[in-house]
Amino acid sequence: MKSADLLKRAQFLMPGGVNSPVRSFSAVGLTPPFIAYGGGSRIFDADGREYVDYVCSWGPLILGHAHPTAVEAVERAARDGLSFGAPTEREVEMAELITSALPSMEMIRMVNSGTEAVLSALRLARGCTGRPYIVKFSGCYHGHSDSMLVEAGSGLATAGTPNSAGILPAIASATLVARYNDPDSVRELFAAKGAEIAAVIVEPIAANMGLVPPEPDFLPFLRRVADEYGALLIFDEVISGFRVAYGGAQTLYGVRPDLTVLGKIIGGGLPVGAYGGRRELMRQVAPLGPVYQAGTLAGNPVAMAAGLATLKILQGDPAVYARLEEKGRILAGALRQAAADNGRRVTVHQIGSLLTLFFTPGPVAGYADARQSDTALFARFFESLLARGVYIAPSQFEALFISAAHTDADLRLTIAAAEAAMRELDAPRSGTAD
Ligand SMILES: *Cc1c(COP(=O)(O)O)cnc(C)c1O
């Protein structure tokens, strides 16, 4: 059992044996297989087991694993030198490609992760407005910077409180927490602190409490309320950018943010993030302006090559999003059917290639609703799928990611596994994935 041995070694040396907590499978009470390699829609673990992968590195791999064009671009870039810390042509190409896909991003700065992009965008928002407060939504994830690891305080219009140890209450208190799809909760915060709010940051399509679509007027409402109070609107499109449409959620819904944060797909599987927006805002970033932000490996040529290859394939294949939507719809429909056939009342949300099955009758409009899900049932469902070679995110509060590499045969295998998993939900648990 190579995975079991690796886990033992890893747990001695790394917290939980992992370099990012959700990978530990602790949310489903199991231990993770170690992944040896992947290709297309499939991954293979250290013990040679094969899975249809719906995690896809948590979103970046919209083309599937080890896409030959991306791998070749990376190899070519690597041979030209791994890093320079000097400007390169690929960065210009990347900036041109992204800003033409998302016209609200007139200027851009590349960084190394979504977390870094978010914290930089927030610093810029505060720097440009001279205001202290940021509004976020409970259940939206924006990386692990101090001011984003915050939950609602006891009174809504009161300061946020840290939801991690090690965060100064003074920093958390500059983050105000509203409820997703709940305009009144936003109104209340602006009524109390409007003149001091620098920005509202939101996942335009929430995908970190499970997938929760915005209600029809929610994003236009945020645009209006931000304008009314002179606050900036920041879309965190780290997941939705190039995922739900080439131009992201802002194109899909026709709402123009002041700043946008990207990550995941734009790195094509390598560590990349970016933030950008209106020109006069971005001109406040160093060296042009007083808002400092820098990075030794930012715009790294190998990472740019992986991202560029991915984005160019998406750009050159406009039908790719329709095909992803079709696969998403087939899978969502089959999951609903499998649940209904077994008398399970569930809520399935799907937008394009993003999908979540909540074990609650719903509706699921925000985090409090998502938390109604029966996570014990989810854990069983997850375990049954894994045993049948279907690898989804090991937590109820995540989305499945379908890639362009997923085939009809993959979907059939997945649907058969889901039907069996639904039937097995009442069976006693083995307690281990093995
Ligand atoms: C993944 C994610 C982040 C953080 O990105 P990292 O690269 O993991 O730091 C930020 N925002 C959203 C919406 C994400 O899904």
Side-chain angles (χ1 to χ4, degrees):
M1 293 308 297
K2 199 144 179 244
S3 277
D5 290 345
L6 285 170
L7 185 64
K8 229 174 264 142
R9 284 161 61 195
Q11 282 172 333
F12 184 67
L13 298 167
M14 295 179 265
V18 292
N19 282 310
S20 194
V22 73
R23 297 178 196 170
S24 72
F25 279 31
S26 60
V28 289
L30 298 170
T31 58
F34 277 58
I35 304 306
Y37 58 95
S41 63
R42 305 293 176 118
I43 52 175
F44 298 81
D45 72 18
D47 297 296
R49 285 200 207 89
E50 179 174 357
Y51 307 88
V52 180
D53 180 24
Y54 291 97
V55 176
C56 289
S57 189
W58 301 88
L61 303 180
I62 192 167
L63 302 177
H65 293 272
H67 190 285
T69 310
V71 170
E72 198 198 318
V74 165
E75 285 172 348
R76 209 168 337 111
R79 277 193 296 268
D80 287 345
L82 295 175
S83 179
F84 303 107
T88 61
E89 183 171 355
R90 287 190 182 88
E91 295 164 87
V92 184
E93 260 193 89
M94 178 64 103
E96 285 170 347
L97 210 51
I98 291 177
T99 56
S100 60
L102 292 92
S104 75
M105 299 180 83
E106 294 169 352
M107 292 180 88
I108 190 167
R109 172 64 63 82
M110 306 304 302
V111 295
N112 303 297
S113 69
T115 295
E116 193 187 351
V118 166
L119 73 87
S120 305
L122 296 178
R123 181 183 303 142
L124 177 60
R126 285 174 165 139
C128 288
T129 59
R131 299 174 177 190
Y133 288 103
I134 304 290
V135 172
K136 84 175 281 289
F137 294 91
S138 96
C140 283
Y141 178 69
H142 301 291
H144 66 89
S145 64
D146 285 3
S147 66
M148 291 290 98
L149 289 184
V150 167
E151 59 197 3
S154 43
L156 187 62
T158 65
T161 57
N163 62 8
S164 160
I167 292 173
L168 294 175
I171 288 176
S173 69
T175 302
L176 309 173
V177 183
R179 291 184 295 265
Y180 199 76
N181 279 328
D182 183 347
D184 288 345
S185 71
V186 180
R187 277 268 168 230
E188 248 180 87
L189 295 178
F190 273 92
K193 303 233 195 282
E196 297 168 274
I197 293 174
V200 178
I201 184 165
V202 66
E203 286 180 80
I205 294 170
N208 282 290
M209 50 177 126
L211 180 70
V212 179
E215 283 168 6
D217 191 50
F218 184 56
L219 300 175
F221 160 77
L222 293 180
R223 180 67 278 174
R224 289 195 302 276
V225 77
D227 286 344
E228 188 181 326
Y229 285 91
L232 301 180
L233 180 60
I234 305 175
F235 276 5
D236 181 344
E237 296 226 42
V238 169
I239 282 182
S240 58
F242 297 93
R243 166 63 61 178
V244 297
Y246 187 68
Q250 55 194 267
T251 303
L252 198 61
Y253 296 114
V255 176
R256 192 180 174 100
D258 300 292
L259 294 172
T260 298
V261 179
L262 295 170
K264 297 194 171 125
I265 288 177
I266 63 164
L270 270 70
V272 175
Y275 67 102
R278 279 165 38 209
R279 187 170 300 275
E280 79 264 27
L281 300 175
M282 291 303 290
R283 287 183 64 85
Q284 301 305 307
V285 176
L288 292 183
V291 178
Y292 191 71
Q293 183 271 308
T296 300
L297 293 174
N300 173 268
V302 183
M304 293 300 99
L308 278 171
T310 301
L311 297 188
K312 282 179 184 167
I313 289 170
L314 295 172
Q315 185 190 38
D317 182 10
V320 68
Y321 292 100
R323 292 200 303 273
L324 287 168
E325 169 74 34
E326 175 68 10
K327 292 178 207 176
R329 224 178 284 158
I330 288 170
L331 204 49
L335 289 172
R336 287 187 192 104
Q337 189 62 48
D341 289 348
N342 289 279
R344 293 282 168 199
R345 299 180 68 207
V346 303
T347 302
V348 178
H349 285 168
Q350 173 255 329
I351 299 178
S353 52
L354 297 171
L355 185 155
T356 297
L357 165 72
F358 295 98
F359 282 94
T360 171
V364 179
Y367 192 48
D369 299 335
R371 292 283 297 267
Q372 296 304 308
S373 285
D374 186 331
T375 53
L377 277 184
F378 174 83
R380 282 185 185 186
F381 183 69
F382 173 87
E383 183 175 2
S384 290
L385 285 184
L386 195 69
R388 289 181 167 72
V390 175
Y391 186 102
I392 67 171
S395 160
Q396 170 71 86
F397 305 104
E398 305 286 353
L400 275 76
F401 295 95
I402 304 167
S403 80
H406 285 78
T407 62
D408 290 347
D410 290 329
L411 294 186
R412 280 196 299 274
L413 184 156
T414 304
I415 290 164
E419 286 167 348
M422 279 290 175
R423 284 195 298 273
E424 280 177 2
L425 282 180
D426 290 319
R429 277 191 89 177
S430 74
T432 138
D434 308 321

